[in-house]
Structures are given as structure tokens and as C-alpha cells.
Amino acid sequence: MRDGQRLEEFYRDRRVLVTGGLGFIGSNLVRRLVGLGSRVTVIDACFPDQGANLYNLEGVLEEITLVISDIGATRTVIEHLPEQEVVFNLAACVSHVGSLHHPLRDLKRNCVSQLRFLCALAELNPGVSVIYTGSRSQYGSPLYLPMDEDHPLRPVDINGVHKTAVEEYHRILHEQGRIRYLSLRLTNIFGPRHQMMHDGQGFLNWFIRLGLQGKEIRVFGDGTQARDFLYVEDAVEVLLLAAADAECRGMSLNLASGKSITVAEAAQAVSEEAGTEWTLVPYPPERASVEPGDVVLDISRLRAALDWEPRWDFRAGLQETIAFYRMHGEHYFRPSETKPSLIRKRPI
């Protein structure tokens, strides 16, 4: 059976919860789920500067139940947890530098809220399937390349520590038989619907913004740092396949392209597609403190578990991304507006 047909059969009319569903990866996932016929609930805290954007779900808002709330506010979200069949747990604050400036805020949003949410979910919906999006930042600086899932977890920043802790919350609840989880450790996902307000959540989106505005792209260091980019449609496909495959539960798997591209090569590609220049500059001290060095992940286990290969190469994904922001950039280059409390239920 083809993947597309299998996913349609699995997700049609299935109750699916997506935390962080107004953000970058979450909104691309939600749009795909709606297209597959799922009954989707989105919970998103809409913290400032984190990327939540109502425009991300333009055209499908009437097809979902939307709850604007911190997932740790259990009194608000509790009624939406029972009867969910799949939970994609994407809620997170992901700024490495931001976590150094505000470590306790990062702890509250990433760890305390997650633990409250997971405990409530396990109590109200025992045995539910949960797909968690972890991060390559859990590994820290590489001891060897490519890094596989056995690589020691030695984060270089507070955010990486917290992402590791939350993955452990999922693992413990899984081993207690209270949920069934899979963690996907993501690295450098890019594509449409990423926030473009600041450079605190990855550098490629910021390169694209500078390029589209005709500004010079600045690459820190010598530009030889290796990175592993994956287009968001490929990431969404893996999320969907993983949730539909019960054999994957209890695992932590790398999600990446498995291909190395230097930061300078990425800057050159953006400059060619957007028509701008790039240059090398010294690392700012706070950026240097969270720089992990070369980052390339081994995806052998993911390939074997899901029989999956990336469909998008870097240049094709970059062209699609730039085309999207040429058309819709006005909705991403400034802060979006969301009401502080909103529950919009899908018509029954």
C-alpha cells in the first residue's frame, strides 16, 4: 500500500491533538491533517516571539478546534484531552540564546508546563499515542559524526537541557504504561510558515529575510560549520508515518536529511536565489557560547523503522520557501496578533 493511501485510511476521521499547532512545524502538520480528514484540536500558548501565527492556519481555522492556552494550564485544556487518539506534542520554546538570558522562564514553559500536561494526559487518556519533537541540541557538541541515537546527551545550552528532560518525562510515562511515545530529534527544519521576526530560532530563515530585503547576509565564523537541513514537508511526512506505525513506540529517532551542507554554502544558495550578498563576520560572544560545531545526524534507524527517504533536496526546498515569503512575507516580518484567550470549536 502506498504511503499516501495508508495515511488517508489511518487519519480519516481520527481525533488528533497538536500542541504548538500555530507554530512553524505544527501548522504545516495541521494543514496536512485537515487534508487527510482528521478531527483536529490545536493548543498553542501564543507566547510572544515564539512563532505562533493565526495566518499559519488561514483557510482551515473553521475546520479545527483551536485553544489558545499554555498546555500547562490544565483547567483550560483538560476537556480537550480525553478521546484523543494521537497527540503530536510540538509545544516548546526553542531559542538557545533566549534560554541563557531567561533560564527560569525556559524551565517553566518547557519543563513545568510539559510535565503538567503529560500527567493530565496520562490520567485522562491512558495509553494514548504521543509523538514528541525533541532536538539535535540534546546531543551538544559532537564526539563523532554523523551522530546516531547512542551519542551521549551533553547539551551546550539551557534549552537543550530542558528538551532532554521533557523527552525523559515521555520515556518514564511510557515505561509506566501510561502513554505510548516516540521522540523524534529534529535538526534545522526549514520551509514556509516559520517566524521571520528575529534570528533567535535558527539562522536560515533569517538569511532568507535579509536576502528578500536586499540586505547583506552575515555568516558567523569561517562558514565551514556543517549543518543538516530538512524541508518541512519531509518532516511532516515522518511525523504522520511515525504516529501511524505502532512498532515505533518507546524509541528516540533522529529526524534529518542525513546530508551535510556548510553554513557558507547555505548562505551562498540564499544569496543566489534572493539576489543579495553575504560575508563572514566574527562570532558574537553569546552566539559562540551556544555553537555546537558541526552537526550532522545519522538517520539509519529512522530509515529502517519507517522505510522513509527525504523527497526534497535543499535547493528545491529553499526555492519553495523563498517563493512563499515573497508572496506572504507581510504576515511574518512583524509580530502577529492573537487574542490572549480563545477557544474556537470546529462545527459538529
Side-chain angles (χ1 to χ4, degrees):
M1 183 184 297
R2 294 178 303 172
D3 286 344
Q5 182 181 354
R6 179 159 63 96
L7 293 179
E8 287 177 6
E9 292 183 0
F10 180 83
Y11 285 103
R12 187 182 304 118
D13 207 37
R14 191 171 292 268
R15 294 178 181 272
V16 180
L17 171 64
V18 182
T19 71
L22 283 175
F24 165 45
I25 300 174
S27 62
N28 281 284
L29 174 62
V30 169
R31 299 180 77 89
R32 183 74 186 281
L33 286 165
V34 170
L36 290 169
S38 298
R39 304 183 67 180
V40 182
T41 298
V42 169
I43 302 176
D44 200 303
C46 294
F47 292 129
D49 297 334
Q50 291 302 309
N53 191 332
L54 283 173
Y55 188 76
N56 278 340
L57 296 183
E58 181 74 14
V60 301
L61 281 171
E62 298 301 326
E63 304 300 320
I64 68 172
T65 295
L66 174 62
V67 183
I68 294 184
S69 171
D70 183 344
I71 60 170
T74 52
R75 291 183 180 180
T76 303
V77 305
I78 196 169
E79 68 174 285
H80 304 282
L81 304 186
E83 299 184 0
Q84 300 292 346
E85 298 171 87
V86 177
V87 176
F88 291 100
N89 190 10
L90 279 64
C93 294
V94 297
S95 174
H96 305 295
V97 172
S99 74
L100 298 180
H101 291 304
H102 306 286
L104 296 181
R105 185 181 70 184
D106 200 86
L107 174 70
K108 179 180 179 181
R109 292 178 176 180
N110 280 327
C111 290
V112 176
S113 288
Q114 279 282 352
L115 189 55
R116 286 175 174 166
F117 170 75
L118 288 172
C119 288
L121 183 66
E123 178 179 352
L124 296 170
N125 197 344
V128 66
S129 179
V130 182
I131 309 300
Y132 171 65
T133 49
S135 171
R136 60 88 180 159
S137 67
Q138 295 171 230
Y139 294 121
S141 298
L143 301 179
Y144 56 85
L145 292 173
M147 291 185 285
D148 59 21
E149 291 84 353
D150 295 326
H151 188 284
L153 303 182
R154 302 172 59 188
V156 298
D157 59 69
I158 296 297
N159 186 261
V161 172
H162 293 162
K163 292 293 287 185
T164 303
V166 175
E167 184 179 275
E168 287 294 283
Y169 299 157
H170 286 77
R171 180 188 61 80
I172 290 170
L173 290 171
H174 171 87
E175 293 184 354
Q176 292 175 347
R178 301 175 66 189
I179 65 173
R180 296 181 300 122
Y181 98 107
L182 166 70
S183 177
L184 295 168
R185 296 171 180 168
L186 282 60
T187 180
N188 292 300
I189 311 301
F190 74 101
R193 300 182 178 88
H194 196 295
Q195 69 81 18
M196 305 287 274
M197 299 175 292
H198 57 79
D199 63 351
Q201 296 176 349
F203 62 86
L204 187 60
N205 64 307
W206 195 246
F207 284 3
I208 292 170
R209 172 168 180 165
L210 293 175
L212 291 177
Q213 293 181 323
K215 299 179 180 178
E216 187 177 62
I217 296 168
R218 300 193 306 160
V219 174
F220 298 145
D222 61 10
T224 62
Q225 311 94 311
R227 289 295 184 267
D228 187 338
F229 297 99
L230 184 70
Y231 188 56
V232 68
E233 284 193 14
D234 277 328
V236 166
E237 188 76 6
V238 170
L239 286 164
L240 294 170
L241 290 170
D245 189 337
E247 298 299 318
C248 294
R249 297 303 172 266
M251 304 172 69
S252 294
L253 298 173
N254 290 336
L255 174 52
S257 71
K259 298 179 180 179
S260 175
I261 298 176
T262 69
V263 177
E265 288 171 339
Q268 179 64 29
V270 174
S271 72
E272 291 172 0
E273 297 294 337
T276 191
E277 301 296 325
W278 67 277
T279 189
L280 298 173
V281 298
Y283 265 106
E286 68 175 6
R287 296 285 182 175
S289 70
V290 297
E291 170 57 45
D294 295 341
V295 176
V296 182
L297 299 186
D298 186 329
I299 60 172
S300 300
R301 295 184 190 178
L302 181 67
R303 285 188 172 112
L306 297 178
D307 189 25
W308 171 84
E309 289 289 340
R311 297 179 180 177
W312 288 81
D313 65 30
F314 176 72
R315 183 66 72 128
L318 181 63
Q319 291 169 347
E320 289 289 319
T321 303
I322 289 175
F324 177 86
Y325 288 112
R326 286 191 192 279
M327 184 174 296
H328 304 284
E330 62 179 308
H331 299 285
Y332 295 91
F333 292 176
R334 62 177 185 272
S336 62
E337 295 184 1
T338 51
K339 297 179 181 179
S341 64
L342 168 66
I343 298 179
R344 174 184 285 171
K345 293 190 176 181
R346 169 186 175 180
I348 299 176

